[in-house]
Amino acid sequence: MTTISARPTAAPEIEQLPEPPLRRSREIQGNVLAAFNKDFMAFRYMRFPDDNGVGGRGWLSVMLNTVSVTAGVEDFNEEFSLSRRAYGQDPAITATWVGVSLTYQGLLQVARDPERIKQDLSSFGSFTQGPAAMAAELGDDGSSAPGNWLFGSEQTGIHAVLIVAADTEEALEEKLRNIAAADSAHGVTMVHHDDGRTLTGDLRGHEHFGYKDGISQPGVKDFHREDREHAGSRENRPGSTLVEPGEFVFGHRSESGKPPEGPAWLDNGSLQVVRRLRQDVGGWNNAVVREAAKFRPTGISPDLLGACLVGRKKDGTPLAQGENPVTGVGQGANDFTYENDPQGTQTPCAAHIRRSHPRHFEPTQQHRIMRRGIPYGPAYTAGDDATDRGLMFVCYGTSLERQFEFVQRLWSNNPRFLPGADGAPNGLDKVTGTIKEGGTGSPDAHIVLADGQEGTVSMDRFVQTTGAVYAFTPSITTLRRLAAHESLHGKG
Ligand code: HEM
């Protein structure tokens, strides 16, 4: 990584507070706990040569010299936000980040003892089988079926996922050129690549349907400080509940009170989900206009219906009324639950943010995910429906089954979850939900708003899965051992 530092900007009083231990980690890769947060990101899905792992290990040795770690990324992010707060502008610093993850096939290919790795991971069903095998469970059917994916279907073997993140297109290209030289030196080939780009202008920080994204994230104990005035919340982020680190990083205490199950070589690593989600923006816009007009007695505005389906207005303001009048309102507001809204008359039960994080429902903390997505493709302009655009959805956690898959399967896709107004069915998560073929329940949502407006919303599917991969983001030590062909089980 390259960091050009202009001036030290850390505020002295913050420096004096003890630093949470994981904040300084040089073992946990960047982007798991400390977000890469860059406007230009490259996703590279790589395949190692068929040479008993020699090429893959050689490639990993090069990646080890450039991979980013938590302490480095968070130092940068902290300096950035302190400077923004102190001077009201972005500081003159830049950095290019690199993250490396391995699929199950990739691990087996480079490891010294693949048979033991198979045994170690025998209870990690989704990771070892991959997302294509889980497609039916996750509602990836029809046009979203693996046969139509650009990568990650059974036929296309991916061994490694590389994420490179930079402040400018030029810096990204430069890094990618260096990495491409390592690819060819070691016979590593690219199966597919995607380019994530933050949208610009009024859409900056928003996803393609137009809604502000990247607002609500879990806080992490031992990584984030606790807020002095809001016990259990991350400092300066009311509503961002602190979750045990083992929910996101192996080898640390999780919400169950113990570290997550798994062999020691998983420690300080995390499981990564990458999903390429194509968005039909024109289709979404038309459906929102059509369905809003169906509300009785008078119809509601398309903007209000859109907000009902997401749970936040386009500028990020939640529909939920926070209990705290200061921290519970505004564009970045996150200090609310749905406890005061059991019928969904403020935030309908079909709303994406309510389905994917129902908050006061227990025990939601075991189903949190660390989201690291970025849009791909150009912003929508009226009539431009053919262009491929969407979200590179990325998330991290220590259980695919209990976190990402649980949210998608049992909350977003489940018409029986969260009965809405008067117990009426609320269909699916209207952003990401799909009912698998032969599934039961209606995808329609009956919405009754506080002012009495009422309608049954029928939305098609405007988010399509076009690629997916599950990978493991190892600690630096495990990455080093793999690269050196050392055993992951003690002395090798
Ligand atoms: C193209 C697809 C998607 C779009 C357009 C989208 C959009 C959004 C938006 C606008 C927000 C609110 C902003 C925020 O709190 O950060 C949000 C939040 C969230 N999304 Fe998505 N999302 C997509 C896919 C997914 C998927 C696949 C999942 C997981 C299965 C997911 C899980 C979440 C979660 C957990 C939250 C935070 C909820 C909260 O804590 O309030 N999203 N999403």
Side-chain angles (χ1 to χ4, degrees):
M1 93 69 206
T2 345
T3 309
I4 307 160
S5 187
R7 57 181 176 267
T9 49
E13 57 178 292
I14 284 182
E15 276 178 347
Q16 283 154 20
L17 293 171
E19 209 158 34
L22 294 181
R23 170 69 182 73
R24 293 255 54 88
S25 173
R26 306 198 69 81
E27 270 294 306
I28 304 167
Q29 286 196 45
N31 215 28
V32 179
L33 299 179
F36 280 171
N37 264 352
K38 296 288 181 200
D39 291 345
F40 299 86
M41 289 179 76
F43 296 79
R44 299 284 186 263
Y45 315 98
M46 312 303 295
R47 185 168 176 78
F48 299 152
D50 198 4
D51 60 358
N52 293 320
V54 176
R57 286 189 291 273
W59 184 82
L60 286 182
S61 310
V62 182
M63 293 309 127
L64 259 172
N65 293 325
T66 189
V67 77
S68 310
V69 295
T70 298
V73 176
E74 197 59 13
D75 281 349
F76 180 94
N77 290 349
E78 201 168 277
E79 185 168 348
F80 207 89
S81 48
L82 282 169
S83 169
R84 262 193 183 173
R85 247 182 284 154
Y87 306 103
Q89 60 184 47
D90 292 352
I93 54 172
T94 59
T96 300
W97 307 127
V98 176
V100 181
S101 307
L102 294 165
T103 62
Y104 180 57
Q105 306 304 336
L107 268 172
L108 296 182
Q109 170 100 338
V110 293
R112 184 176 188 102
D113 33 19
E115 289 310 315
R116 290 219 32 207
I117 301 241
K118 284 185 191 164
Q119 285 165 22
D120 287 347
L121 298 179
S122 60
S123 61
F124 288 69
S126 295
F127 175 64
T128 56
Q129 292 171 63
M134 305 310 295
E137 290 292 317
L138 296 173
D140 286 332
D141 52 19
S143 58
S144 290
N148 298 320
W149 290 358
L150 295 168
F151 62 90
S153 66
E154 280 153 305
Q155 302 90 324
T156 18
I158 297 172
H159 291 135
V161 179
L162 185 77
I163 300 185
V164 184
D167 298 282
T168 62
E169 189 99 49
E170 295 71 40
L172 185 67
E173 288 307 323
E174 188 187 331
K175 192 63 163 182
L176 290 173
R177 266 197 302 279
N178 293 340
I179 290 176
D183 298 346
S184 46
H186 296 282
V188 174
T189 47
M190 194 156 71
V191 174
H192 182 75
H193 69 96
D194 285 306
D195 294 315
R197 293 288 180 273
T198 303
L199 299 179
T200 53
D202 291 347
L203 283 177
R204 190 170 172 76
H206 295 227
E207 50 70 46
H208 281 289
F209 291 148
Y211 297 84
K212 194 162 193 304
D213 204 357
I215 301 171
S216 177
Q217 294 278 23
V220 181
K221 282 183 199 166
D222 294 345
F223 177 69
H224 294 123
R225 289 198 177 95
E226 186 169 20
D227 198 280
R228 278 184 258 183
E229 275 148 42
H230 300 87
S233 273
R234 176 178 166 189
E235 186 175 53
N236 295 327
R237 304 282 172 101
S240 175
T241 316
L242 288 170
V243 175
E244 295 289 351
E247 294 298 313
F248 308 105
V249 185
F250 288 96
H252 299 272
R253 185 189 158 94
S254 73
E255 289 290 315
S256 73
K258 297 180 300 205
E261 297 286 319
W265 57 266
L266 295 182
D267 286 4
N268 290 316
S270 187
L271 293 168
Q272 180 193 55
V273 176
V274 180
R275 283 167 82 75
R276 186 179 190 281
L277 301 175
R278 182 172 181 166
Q279 291 175 258
D280 173 1
V281 181
W284 166 275
N285 289 345
N286 292 339
V288 168
V289 170
R290 184 192 68 218
E291 298 297 308
K294 284 191 194 163
F295 273 64
R296 294 290 171 261
T298 58
I300 60 174
S301 73
D303 273 353
L304 176 57
L305 179 59
C308 285
L309 304 181
V310 172
R312 291 182 183 269
K313 297 180 188 168
K314 285 191 169 163
D315 69 1
T317 308
L319 293 180
Q321 308 283 309
E323 272 115 76
N324 183 322
V326 179
T327 58
V329 292
Q331 298 182 359
N334 204 25
D335 195 10
F336 56 85
T337 71
Y338 306 107
E339 219 158 1
N340 54 7
D341 182 25
Q343 301 290 314
T345 57
Q346 291 166 22
T347 309
C349 296
H352 175 59
I353 65 165
R354 190 162 180 172
R355 294 301 273 256
S356 53
H357 178 204
R359 297 186 182 227
H360 68 284
F361 271 65
E362 287 301 332
T364 49
Q365 301 304 47
Q366 296 193 314
H367 308 295
R368 304 297 306 277
I369 52 178
M370 194 60 84
R371 290 177 301 134
R372 300 291 185 224
I374 183 169
Y376 73 87
Y380 179 74
T381 50
D384 175 22
D385 295 301
T387 305
D388 185 6
R389 58 173 63 79
L391 181 72
M392 291 306 305
F393 174 85
V394 180
C395 75
Y396 293 90
T398 48
S399 168
L400 297 171
E401 292 85 350
R402 206 189 59 247
Q403 294 171 312
F404 164 69
E405 290 187 349
F406 187 99
V407 173
Q408 182 72 49
R409 224 158 51 84
L410 295 170
W411 286 350
S412 294
N413 289 0
N414 179 0
R416 285 174 302 282
F417 179 58
L418 288 185
D422 304 326
N426 59 57
L428 310 173
D429 176 326
K430 287 283 163 261
V431 176
T432 57
T434 62
I435 285 191
K436 61 178 172 176
E437 265 161 43
T440 52
S442 165
D444 295 349
H446 186 66
I447 296 178
V448 182
L449 297 177
D451 62 3
Q453 292 278 356
E454 181 169 350
T456 297
V457 181
S458 175
M459 298 281 282
D460 310 314
R461 186 169 177 167
F462 299 116
V463 171
Q464 182 195 340
T465 309
T466 52
V469 61
Y470 289 158
F472 172 61
T473 309
S475 69
I476 300 304
T477 296
T478 294
L479 210 51
R480 185 173 293 126
R481 287 204 174 134
L482 288 167
H485 210 198
E486 279 173 24
S487 167
L488 297 183
H489 305 89
K491 290 193 169 196

